[in-house]
Amino acid sequence: MAGNYDRAGEVKAFDQMKIGVKGLVDAGITKVPRIFHHQDVAVTNPKPSSTLEIPTIDVGGGVFESTVTRKSVIAKVRAAVEKFGFFQVINHGIPLEVMESMKDGIRGFHEQDSEVKKTFYSRDITKKVKYNTNFDLYSSQAANWRDTLTMVMAPDVPQAGDLPVICREIMLEYSKRMMKLGELIFELLSEALGLKPNHLKELNCAKSLSLLSHYYPPCPEPDRTFGISSHTDISFITILLQDHIGGLQVLHDGYWIDVPPNPEALIVNLGDLLQLITNDKFVSVEHRVLANRGEEPRISSASFFMHTIPNEQVYGPMKELLSKQNPPKYRNTTTTEMARHYLARGLDGTSPLLHFRI
Ligand code: OGA
Ligand code: NI
């Protein structure tokens, strides 16, 4: 809530320091500044629920080799996305050491000398490598307790020299593996829609990868703010790596379901672009991260499969899924138009897809 103060001025002052939330914590603040105050944190409505778990799906080698296994995996994916919009994958082919090094690399970036970090600080949405805090700092009602390093890793692989020295090798390695896993997930999703395995790949859904490497510093007043407030992702899908700290929750049937850390698993969630092209057959799901109560930072990496901005490819509901009974619910749009809309409104808890509904 804006409240009765010069919010815009305080936001700008914070942004201009280029130190992120981590810089505030390092400076020894003991209270959460009011630009981060959310109205609805303490109100636990929807209620937390510990009885439900998001599905875990084994996508091990058999998926490629045996039709029987592949069919059963596709059935599980379909059930998971229709029920939750979220699932975890295990035996996904990414070695544990790579996932651990990725978390170390992210931590290394955010914990290095702030003068080095500042050289990457930017809010230019066309910039391929940038660090900032709260992509929607100027448009949201309240800021979140999180800093992010964002890198476009595909289709054009960045020059090593353009990436931060401290994490460039692992970012390149991790992204290469993400692209491969992304292909598999889009094949499974295509088949779960009753389409041929390459369908979504041929629409270029698996082609572009933006890697968001988040750092959630410990928060002195975690009941005042969020790590990331409730939102859906703009992507086709997002593949998420989270560390051991916890705090990620998914909204299901009016309840916030915890997604407890599992060091071997990666989380897959469906984004708004997939909801739009599947004409609501698959839906993107609201999720959030609570502000970090612990002593240690929380680290996560979100692999957003979506086009780099600017991109003019037009997307609308796929004609294969439409019929007289199921007419298109969305107008055609581009990732660029969607991204601009998201940025202009900020994460405000309502579905940004409404803007594109017919
Ligand atoms: C996101 C997101 C969750 C996390 O980047 O959109 O929801 O655990 N991240 O960092
Ligand atoms: Ni998200």
Side-chain angles (χ1 to χ4, degrees), residues 228 231-233 238 269 287 304:
I228 185 165
H231 67 284
T232 53
D233 292 354
T238 303
N269 73 284
H287 53 285
F304 274 58

Side-chain angles (χ1 to χ4, degrees), residues 329-355:
K329 297 187 170 113
Y330 299 96
R331 65 174 174 83
N332 286 350
T333 182
T334 62
T335 313
T336 306
E337 188 195 5
M338 274 177 89
R340 291 201 190 282
H341 173 64
Y342 280 49
L343 193 66
R345 63 192 280 288
L347 301 179
D348 75 352
T350 60
S351 172
L353 273 178
L354 291 176
H355 182 74

Side-chain angles (χ1 to χ4, degrees), residues 239 253 339:
I239 303 180
D253 276 351

Side-chain angles (χ1 to χ4, degrees), residues 181-252:
L181 178 60
E183 293 219 348
L184 170 64
I185 305 288
F186 280 110
E187 285 178 19
L188 298 174
L189 290 170
S190 299
E191 290 184 71
L193 285 166
L195 303 169
K196 59 182 184 349
N198 285 341
H199 199 98
L200 291 169
K201 287 199 284 185
E202 285 168 6
L203 290 174
N204 293 330
C205 299
K207 202 174 155 193
S208 304
L209 173 66
S210 288
L211 202 55
L212 274 58
S213 297
H214 300 304
Y215 186 93
Y216 299 84
C219 182
E221 294 180 293
D223 291 329
R224 286 231 180 253
T225 190
F226 285 105
I228 185 165
S229 43
S230 181
H231 67 284
T232 53
D233 292 354
I234 182 178
S235 55
F236 292 107
I237 64 166
T238 303
I239 303 180
L240 188 72
L241 166 71
Q242 66 164 337
D243 73 359
H244 57 287
I245 300 289
L248 175 66
Q249 298 183 322
V250 179
L251 189 60
H252 178 68

